[in-house]
Amino acid sequence: MSLYRKYRPKKFTEVIGQDHIVRTLQNQIKAGGISHAYLLCGTRGTGKTSIAKIFARLVTGDNPLADGIDIIEIDAASNNRVEDVRDLIEKTKYPPTYSKYKVYIIDEVHMFSNSSFNAFLKTLEEPLPHVIFILATTEPNKLPKTILSRVLRFDVRPVPVELLVKQLTSIFKKEGVIATPEAIRLISEAGNGSVRDALSTAEAVIAYSQNPSEIDVVAVLGKLDIKLLESLLDAIFTRDTKTLDKTLKTIASSSVTLNTVIVDIQKMIKTRFLQNPSKQILDTYKVFAELEMAIKTALNPQSMFDGACILALQ
């Protein structure tokens, strides 16, 4: 079993970084003021589905028999036709079997077609007292305003690095993995706010070394040596074209992912700017920020990266 599945939150107390959502939902349950429809928005791996499942279990009395009967999970990516939604609406008419509510968790709801949203809107406008909808999406901007205005929305935030460090430290201890603090922080940073991504990276690192160090994590992530990136920035800021050319050739001959390199460079530029603010450093940061967006669809990423470094010399 993967680490993410093994350590997936089963209680609200195990959810990290989403206290604003957990507290609100717990208060609603205590007060008996449960809404008929919720929307959980956020990037992947931040806890949307976990929160939905925990909430569903609580409102159905934490009855294991309710799972799959009174708690129904639907993947909108593969059930997005208007016929699918009409079938769903028809099934909501039947009362729950084991509890007070029937809870429908609809993941990636933004995948519904326009006609599907129109069909779904009616059941939101005239909610049945025994039905609760929990919608989850990574792209709330794709949902019609008519849907957004009829749900209680929660924005699931990226999990801070410090919380990921604490979580990974605890998990490594349970798994008997001895990792250096530097290794754990690198893995946490690689998660980019996603618990799932951080744990996936952790699995890859553990497969590489049972006692991972910072060097092991760098090897798995395909990161460049920090000293090489420092050399790159120094060459840019001092307009040392000879060193810049040599460094770019070294990067080109490596097997690293340029997106990772760009993110690391941005972090280093940010640190330099905070230590010694200047227009040159700020302009360089803008160059790499624009590059991060453009390089994702570039036909020749290395050429674009080299061009950005040369542009930063000006």
Side-chain angles (χ1 to χ4, degrees):
M1 184 181 293
S2 67
L3 289 179
Y4 181 72
R5 288 182 60 199
K6 185 175 181 180
Y7 291 99
R8 186 169 198 158
K10 295 179 177 61
K11 300 181 291 185
F12 274 143
T13 52
E14 297 173 353
V15 176
I16 63 172
Q18 313 302 338
D19 293 348
H20 61 298
I21 300 175
V22 169
R23 182 173 178 177
T24 302
L25 293 178
Q26 286 177 324
N27 287 342
Q28 280 197 334
I29 293 171
K30 289 178 183 178
I34 297 170
S35 300
H36 73 281
Y38 297 85
L39 175 64
L40 297 170
C41 313
T43 56
R44 61 193 182 90
T46 50
K48 298 185 298 298
T49 307
S50 293
I51 291 171
K53 288 182 177 180
I54 294 169
F55 182 68
R57 285 198 297 269
L58 290 175
V59 297
T60 54
D62 207 13
N63 186 341
L65 295 175
D67 196 15
I69 306 287
D70 293 338
I71 300 175
I72 301 96
E73 295 183 52
I74 299 169
D75 179 13
S78 54
N79 297 277
N80 52 23
R81 301 175 306 160
V82 67
E83 292 83 2
D84 297 323
V85 175
R86 285 173 179 163
D87 181 58
L88 163 65
I89 294 170
E90 186 63 28
K91 290 178 179 177
T92 63
K93 297 177 182 178
Y94 300 101
T97 304
Y98 296 104
S99 53
K100 183 179 178 181
Y101 296 104
K102 287 185 78 171
V103 184
Y104 289 88
I105 301 172
I106 305 179
D107 198 16
E108 300 299 343
V109 70
H110 64 271
M111 297 292 286
F112 272 179
S113 64
N114 288 333
S115 54
S116 295
F117 274 125
N118 290 334
F120 186 60
L121 179 61
K122 183 174 176 58
T123 194
L124 289 182
E125 290 176 329
E126 302 173 7
L128 295 170
H130 64 269
V131 175
I132 298 173
F133 287 106
I134 307 177
L135 316 179
T137 180
T138 54
E139 300 183 58
N141 56 298
K142 291 187 177 181
L143 271 64
K145 291 182 180 179
T146 50
I147 299 293
L148 292 172
S149 64
R150 288 170 173 81
V151 297
L152 181 58
R153 173 173 173 167
F154 292 106
D155 288 295
V156 185
R157 302 166 184 165
V159 180
V161 171
E162 294 305 326
L163 288 180
L164 288 174
V165 167
K166 185 177 179 181
Q167 181 82 336
L168 281 177
T169 301
S170 173
I171 289 173
F172 279 173
K173 185 176 181 180
K174 292 174 183 176
E175 294 293 315
V177 176
I178 302 173
T180 65
E182 294 80 12
I184 294 174
R185 176 162 290 276
L186 271 181
I187 296 171
S188 301
E189 291 175 350
N192 289 319
S194 167
V195 180
R196 182 164 65 228
D197 287 358
L199 289 178
S200 294
T201 300
E203 274 195 273
V205 170
I206 293 171
Y208 185 80
S209 171
Q210 269 293 313
N211 301 308
S213 66
E214 183 178 8
I215 295 174
D216 296 321
V217 179
V218 168
V220 171
L221 292 177
K223 284 177 170 283
L224 287 175
D225 189 287
I226 296 298
K227 292 180 180 179
L228 184 64
L229 295 184
E230 290 283 3
S231 176
L232 178 71
L233 287 181
D234 287 341
I236 290 173
F237 292 138
T238 60
R239 293 181 171 83
D240 183 350
T241 56
K242 185 177 180 179
T243 300
L244 178 61
D245 180 57
K246 180 181 178 182
T247 307
L248 289 176
K249 287 178 179 177
T250 302
I251 294 174
S253 63
S254 69
S255 58
V256 298
T257 302
L258 286 176
N259 284 333
T260 303
V261 175
I262 294 168
V263 170
D264 287 343
I265 288 175
Q266 284 179 296
K267 290 178 182 177
M268 295 171 71
I269 296 173
K270 180 181 176 182
T271 299
R272 291 195 181 199
F273 181 79
L274 293 175
Q275 293 173 346
N276 184 27
S278 73
K279 185 177 183 305
Q280 183 188 18
I281 296 178
L282 182 60
D283 288 343
T284 303
Y285 183 86
K286 290 178 180 178
V287 168
F288 283 101
E290 292 174 0
L291 176 63
E292 183 184 12
M293 297 299 295
I295 206 167
K296 293 177 181 178
T297 56
L299 295 176
N300 191 335
Q302 186 64 53
S303 178
M304 183 173 280
F305 179 80
D306 292 354
C309 291
I310 294 171
L311 181 63
L313 289 170
Q314 300 176 9

